[in-house]
Amino acid sequence: MSAADLSTLEWPFKDPKYIFFTDFDGTITLQDSNDFMTDTIGFGTEEREQGNRDVLEGKDTFRDAFRKMMDSIKKPFPECVDYLVKNIKLDPHFNEYYQWALQNNIPTVIVSSGMQPIIRAILRNLVGPDADKLAIVCNEVEARPGKKLEEEGGWQIKYHDDSGFGHDKSLTLRPYAQLPADKRPTLFYAGDGVSDLSAARETDLLFAKKGRDLIKYCAREEVPFTVFEDWSSILATVKDIVAEKKTVHDAAHEGYETFKKGDAGVKAANGAAQ
């Protein structure tokens, strides 16, 4: 699936009424696999968090900050994959959502700044055979010049596109958003962090994870969103929308009210808890 195609209108379900796009790390999973590697076998938490702040404040691009993170990890790539498969856990309610989505002909598309071999390995371990029905649009991995993936310091990230994100997630959603009204499905997106900034404006309903950087961005830029803690709340909201008990506008309004009441788990620019 390329960033410009519309293949999700054909597979795994033809002409779906809804499509759910989602970030992977820290959204489907409890931990961000790239953060986990950086913190434990890379340059550490403090430098990584400073990099995230620099991206949010416009001092660095996500592309460059993320490459610095990955370049700090020297373990051979197959060892990195094994390490993550052993340590990364799935949101306890994702599989419940996913089985419901399959039963209701709703495609789920992972749109990630992670790397294909890592995501596929984790999903095979945590989701099982139905993981093959998840479309994935993400970055890749490649050997450094003159080295092999199996060598110490032998791999590097291969970005999906030339954008400042490395993978501009909005490019995956936008072709669907621009379809004529009679062909356009309702678009959902779930995310948690700085890699999701480009996708935030391209969806009908954005689910932003409680306490994470994406909420800060959405509140600052006045991007409508609703807050989620885990996939049980996502599933409940999507079920209500599909059953026409709630509109996407209603859900987004509820999310912003949650933020204003101080229940979104982040601090506003003035330092007040939100």
Side-chain angles (χ1 to χ4, degrees):
M1 181 178 179
S2 73
D5 72 22
L6 293 164
S7 59
T8 305
L9 297 179
E10 300 293 331
W11 180 91
F13 310 110
K14 187 170 177 59
D15 298 326
K17 291 179 64 177
Y18 306 89
I19 301 176
F20 204 119
F21 297 91
T22 176
D23 174 52
F24 178 72
D25 285 296
T27 300
I28 286 178
T29 60
L30 295 180
Q31 313 98 316
D32 184 304
S33 63
N34 303 301
D35 289 356
F36 183 78
M37 282 199 296
T38 303
D39 293 352
T40 57
I41 56 176
F43 57 40
T45 305
E46 184 176 350
E47 193 165 344
R48 174 183 62 78
E49 290 181 343
Q50 182 58 55
N52 283 347
R53 286 192 291 270
D54 289 345
V55 173
L56 282 169
E57 294 167 7
K59 297 176 181 176
D60 201 359
T61 63
F62 180 83
R63 181 190 192 95
D64 290 344
F66 192 57
R67 184 176 290 282
K68 291 169 192 171
M69 286 171 53
M70 296 300 96
D71 284 351
S72 76
I73 299 161
K74 305 303 181 185
K75 276 187 179 291
F77 190 71
E79 291 185 27
C80 292
V81 174
D82 290 343
Y83 180 60
L84 293 172
V85 167
K86 290 175 183 175
N87 285 281
I88 300 302
K89 306 300 181 186
L90 197 69
D91 180 292
H93 300 282
F94 177 76
N95 275 330
E96 181 187 1
Y97 151 78
Y98 183 47
Q99 291 303 317
W100 178 86
L102 290 175
Q103 292 164 13
N104 287 272
N105 296 337
I106 299 175
T108 303
V109 182
I110 293 173
V111 189
S112 174
S113 292
M115 291 161 279
Q116 182 96 222
I118 288 174
I119 295 171
R120 285 290 182 197
I122 292 172
L123 287 173
R124 281 194 297 270
N125 181 51
L126 298 176
V127 175
D130 283 332
D132 291 341
K133 295 173 185 172
L134 288 160
I136 300 176
V137 187
C138 65
N139 295 313
E140 296 288 348
V141 64
E142 63 183 358
R144 292 186 182 276
K147 295 203 169 203
K148 296 180 180 178
L149 295 177
E150 296 77 14
E151 294 178 23
E152 191 87 3
W155 65 273
Q156 62 186 1
I157 190 166
K158 181 181 179 181
Y159 280 121
H160 182 268
D161 55 51
D162 295 328
S163 70
F165 289 94
H167 177 195
D168 183 345
K169 297 181 179 184
S170 69
L171 299 179
T172 299
L173 277 70
R174 196 168 297 150
Y176 296 90
Q178 294 176 342
L179 286 169
D182 61 334
K183 294 183 179 179
R184 186 189 185 286
T186 298
L187 308 179
F188 302 112
Y189 185 88
D192 71 320
V194 293
S195 71
D196 301 302
L197 303 186
S198 69
R201 294 183 184 276
E202 302 294 334
T203 185
D204 296 310
L205 181 59
L206 172 67
F207 294 89
K209 193 165 188 177
K210 183 176 181 178
R212 302 297 177 86
D213 287 337
L214 183 58
I215 290 179
K216 299 176 187 177
Y217 170 81
C218 291
R220 186 185 72 201
E221 300 296 324
E222 299 184 349
V223 176
F225 68 96
T226 189
V227 180
F228 79 97
E229 291 193 57
D230 58 42
W231 280 79
S232 65
S233 58
I234 290 177
L235 176 57
T237 299
V238 174
K239 278 184 174 180
D240 282 348
I241 291 169
V242 170
E244 299 184 347
K245 295 178 180 178
K246 182 184 294 185
T247 67
V248 293
H249 180 270
D250 292 338
H253 178 73
E254 290 171 8
Y256 193 63
E257 288 300 312
T258 298
F259 174 77
K260 287 199 299 182
K261 287 190 297 184
D263 295 332
V266 300
K267 289 184 178 180
N270 62 6
Q274 294 286 349

